[in-house]
Amino acid sequence: MIKLNKIWVTSALALQTLAMAQTSVPVNVNAGPSDVGSVVVEKPILSPKEQLEENIEKMKKDPLLRVANWGFVVYDTQKKQVITGYNENTPLIPASTTKLLSTDASMALLGGRFRWITQLEYSGAIDEAGTLTGNLYVIGSGDPSMSTGKAGAKSNSEIIADYISKISEAGIKKINGDIIVETAVFQDVRLELPEKIVWIEHNNYYLPVGNTTTIDPKGEKVAIKAKSVFDTSKRYFYVSPSTNKMAFTEKFEANNLITTLPAAPSLLANSLKASLLKNRISVSGKVTTRVTDPNPEEREFLAKYSSPTMVDIIYYTNQHSDNALAEALLKTVGFYKTGNVSLESGRETIVRHLQEKKYDFDGLSLVDGSGLSRGNKVRPVSQAKFLTEVMKEKYYDDFLKSLPIAGETGTLRRMFKTSNNYGQIFAKTGTLNAVKCLAGYIKTRSGRMLTFSLLINNYSGSVDQIKHKMEELLEPVVDL
C-alpha cells in the first residue's frame, strides 16, 4: 500500500512538472539569488485606440494637469462620430486655434482669389508743359498686408516706384493740387455690395456716402447689372433693407457716415508725396483723407497695386499665427458683408456664417479673430466637427495647406520631431499664459483623414513640458 502511494505521488508530481513546462509564462533567466522562482509578466498588446485611451488616463493623473481644465477629442470624418475623447463637450479657451474660424470665414465669404486693391488716379487736366491742374487720388480698400512685407506683399517703396513711373508716363511733371486718400470697395474683387451703406458708382469701385436708414423706399429701384456708357446720371447703390437685394436711388441726401471704414493708406500717400519731390515733381497741395465722397469728380486711372491673394494671406496667418492679420481678416469680412469695419460686425458676420452652414457650435463665445482674448470659448468637439465639414468646401485644399505641419513648418516645426506623427498632423497651435491648444487634421498610416482638438487650460509647469505631454498623448493617433 505504501509502495502504491509513492507511485501515485511520483506520477502526480511528474504531471504537474509537465503542465508547468507547457505554460507560456517566461522565466527571468537573468535573475539573481533573491529572484529565484520569479517570472516576468508580459504586458498585453493594446490597439491604437486602447493606447490612446490609456494615454488619456495618464494625462488625467499627471501632476502638471492636476488643477487644469482640459478637453480632447479625435473625430472620424467619414462615420461622423467621436473615436475617443475626454471633456469634449466642455467650452474651453481655444487661444490661437480661434484663427481657424476667421481664416475659414475669409475663404468662404471672400474667396481665395480675393485681393485688396490700392489704386492711383488723377482728376483735372495735364497741359503741354506737364502741369496737372487737379488732384492725385490714392483709393485703398483696407489692405492689411500693406507696408508689412507679409505674405509676399510689396514694400511701400516698390509700390511708390511703380506709381511714379506711371505718373511720368502720363507726362505729369508738376501737380497743382492735393493728394487725396479715400477708401472704396472694388468691383473686380467683389460682385455684391455691403449692407447698410450707400455707395456711389465710380468706374470700377464704390465710394461710401452714407447710411441706408435715411433712404426713401419710394425712390428705390432694382439695380441692373450694367448701364449705358453714355448715361452720366448719378446713381447711389445699396442693399435694400426691405428686399435684401441690391437697389439704387437717384436721390440721396448724404448724412454723416455712422459706420467705420478701413484705415486709408495715408502712410503710402505721404511717402508718395515725399518721393515725388525727390524726383523733382512738385506738389503744391497737401495729403488729405476723405471719409465720404458724395460728389466725386471725374478721374483718370494711373496705376493699381494688388495685395497678395487671400490664399497667401491665410497661409501666412496660420503658419505664423499672425494676430494682426487675423484681426484684420475678422474686420474685413464684417466690412464686406455689412459695410462696417469693427470687431462687432466681424464677430456677427462669422457667427452668422457658422449658423448658415449649420455648424455645431453650441457654447461658442467669439470675442476676436486672433484668439488673444480669454473670453473666447469653444468645445473641442465643435472644432473637430467644424474641421470635418470644411473638408467638403472647394477651398479645403488651400485651407489644409495653410496649417503648420508636425515637425516641418510654421508653429509646429519644433514639435513631433521624433514622433510617429512627424509630417502627419496638420494643425493650428494656440498659446496663452497657462493655455496650450492644438486643433486640426491627422493623416493616418492607412490614409484616413481624422480631425482632432486638444485644448488645455490652467496647466502647471512650462510650455515645453506641456508640449511634451501633448506629443505623448497623440503618439498613437497615426495608427488609428
Side-chain angles (χ1 to χ4, degrees):
M1 185 67 180
I2 293 172
K3 188 174 182 180
L4 287 174
N5 284 339
K6 286 182 178 180
I7 294 172
W8 181 83
V9 170
T10 302
S11 300
L13 288 171
L15 288 170
Q16 182 179 2
T17 302
L18 179 62
M20 289 180 66
Q22 290 178 340
T23 61
S24 59
V25 179
V27 177
N28 186 356
V29 295
N30 296 318
S34 61
D35 297 320
V36 174
S38 68
V39 295
V40 176
V41 179
E42 287 186 345
K43 191 175 182 179
I45 298 175
L46 301 178
S47 69
K49 182 176 182 293
E50 291 170 332
Q51 183 62 61
L52 188 58
E53 289 170 346
E54 184 174 283
N55 289 355
I56 291 173
E57 292 303 312
K58 287 181 181 178
M59 283 273 285
K60 288 161 66 175
K61 299 172 184 175
D62 195 286
L64 294 179
L65 301 173
R66 185 173 293 128
V67 296
N69 191 15
W70 64 283
F72 172 59
V73 68
V74 179
Y75 194 77
D76 189 318
T77 60
Q78 293 182 335
K79 295 180 180 179
K80 302 292 179 65
Q81 64 185 29
V82 171
I83 295 175
T84 190
Y86 170 71
N87 273 349
E88 66 267 25
N89 289 303
T90 301
L92 297 163
I93 300 171
S96 282
T97 61
T98 302
K99 293 181 176 74
L100 293 168
L101 298 184
S102 52
T103 53
D104 163 75
S106 300
M107 290 288 283
L109 300 176
L110 299 178
R113 295 182 181 180
F114 178 91
R115 294 177 187 264
W116 289 265
I117 290 176
T118 306
Q119 194 156 289
L120 181 67
E121 302 172 350
Y122 73 90
S123 64
I126 306 169
D127 64 20
E128 293 181 356
T131 299
L132 169 63
T133 303
N135 301 310
L136 282 182
Y137 283 84
V138 178
I139 314 296
S141 56
D143 181 0
S145 67
M146 181 167 283
S147 306
T148 67
K150 296 175 180 178
K154 288 185 178 180
S155 65
N156 272 1
S157 59
E158 290 176 295
I159 299 170
I160 288 168
D162 181 58
Y163 282 6
I164 289 178
S165 172
K166 296 298 190 294
I167 289 170
S168 298
E169 287 176 14
I172 299 173
K173 299 176 182 178
K174 181 180 179 181
I175 300 169
N176 284 336
D178 295 327
I179 298 179
I180 299 172
V181 186
E182 292 184 341
T183 301
V185 169
F186 283 78
Q187 289 175 296
D188 54 356
V189 293
R190 185 70 182 170
L191 298 179
E192 303 136 15
L193 289 175
E195 304 165 4
K196 299 180 184 176
I197 279 190
V198 178
W199 304 79
I200 185 168
E201 187 178 46
H202 185 74
N203 295 330
N204 66 329
Y205 56 84
Y206 297 91
L207 294 169
V209 294
N211 192 277
T212 58
T213 55
T214 60
I215 294 177
D216 182 1
K218 294 178 182 178
E220 183 175 285
K221 301 177 182 179
V222 177
I224 54 176
K225 291 185 179 180
K227 66 175 181 177
S228 169
V229 294
F230 302 106
D231 185 356
T232 59
S233 62
K234 188 179 296 181
R235 302 194 303 173
Y236 297 90
F237 291 80
Y238 60 100
V239 175
S240 169
S242 56
T243 64
N244 290 321
K245 294 181 179 179
M246 193 186 298
F248 75 91
T249 180
E250 293 169 344
K251 292 182 180 180
F252 174 68
E253 303 246 345
N255 62 343
N256 290 328
L257 196 70
I258 62 173
T259 50
T260 310
L261 297 174
S266 298
L267 175 61
L268 180 70
N270 280 291
S271 299
L272 174 61
K273 182 180 180 181
S275 295
L276 285 168
L277 296 176
K278 285 181 181 179
N279 284 271
R280 298 181 180 180
I281 301 175
S282 64
V283 181
S284 65
K286 58 185 178 180
V287 175
T288 63
T289 300
R290 286 186 185 171
V291 177
T292 62
D293 194 358
N295 297 295
E297 55 188 339
E298 288 298 315
R299 307 172 196 168
E300 296 293 331
F301 171 84
L302 279 172
K304 178 176 78 170
Y305 167 69
S306 298
S307 76
T309 65
M310 182 63 78
V311 168
D312 296 328
I313 296 289
I314 284 176
Y315 179 86
Y316 189 96
T317 301
N318 283 333
Q319 287 287 320
H320 298 270
S321 201
D322 193 288
N323 294 320
L325 285 180
E327 293 299 336
L329 290 173
L330 176 89
K331 293 178 181 179
T332 295
V333 295
F335 176 61
Y336 276 82
K337 290 298 287 185
T338 70
N340 191 352
V341 59
S342 67
L343 280 174
E344 189 58 37
S345 68
R347 288 194 298 261
E348 289 176 357
T349 299
I350 290 179
V351 170
R352 192 184 310 123
H353 164 66
L354 297 175
Q355 291 171 342
E356 289 174 353
K357 298 294 288 188
K358 293 181 170 46
Y359 292 150
D360 177 13
F361 268 99
D362 289 344
L364 173 68
S365 175
L366 184 64
V367 177
D368 60 26
S370 63
L372 284 174
S373 173
R374 290 178 177 271
N376 292 310
K377 294 288 176 66
V378 69
R379 299 182 305 152
V381 73
S382 293
Q383 284 191 324
K385 289 180 178 180
F386 158 73
L387 290 165
T388 298
E389 294 303 312
V390 170
M391 294 175 70
K392 300 175 184 176
E393 302 294 339
K394 60 183 179 182
Y395 55 83
Y396 165 66
D397 287 343
D398 289 323
F399 183 76
L400 179 65
K401 289 174 185 175
S402 77
L403 300 177
I405 303 174
E408 296 183 4
T409 64
T411 54
L412 273 183
R413 66 188 180 280
R414 292 191 178 94
M415 287 186 70
F416 304 100
K417 280 287 189 182
T418 60
S419 166
N420 288 331
N421 291 315
Y422 178 90
Q424 300 298 111
I425 289 179
F426 310 81
K428 184 71 201 70
T429 58
T431 307
L432 292 172
N433 184 31
V435 175
K436 190 64 187 172
C437 304
L438 195 60
Y441 299 92
I442 300 162
K443 186 176 182 181
T444 68
R445 294 185 202 270
S446 63
R448 298 168 69 198
M449 190 65 91
L450 309 176
T451 59
F452 78 100
S453 172
L454 174 56
L455 310 180
I456 304 176
N457 295 179
N458 198 36
Y459 64 84
S460 304
S462 68
V463 174
D464 286 340
Q465 285 177 311
I466 209 67
K467 284 164 67 175
H468 181 63
K469 298 297 178 185
M470 296 170 86
E471 290 172 327
E472 287 182 338
L473 172 65
L474 291 167
E475 186 65 20
V477 296
V478 74
D479 294 313
L480 286 171

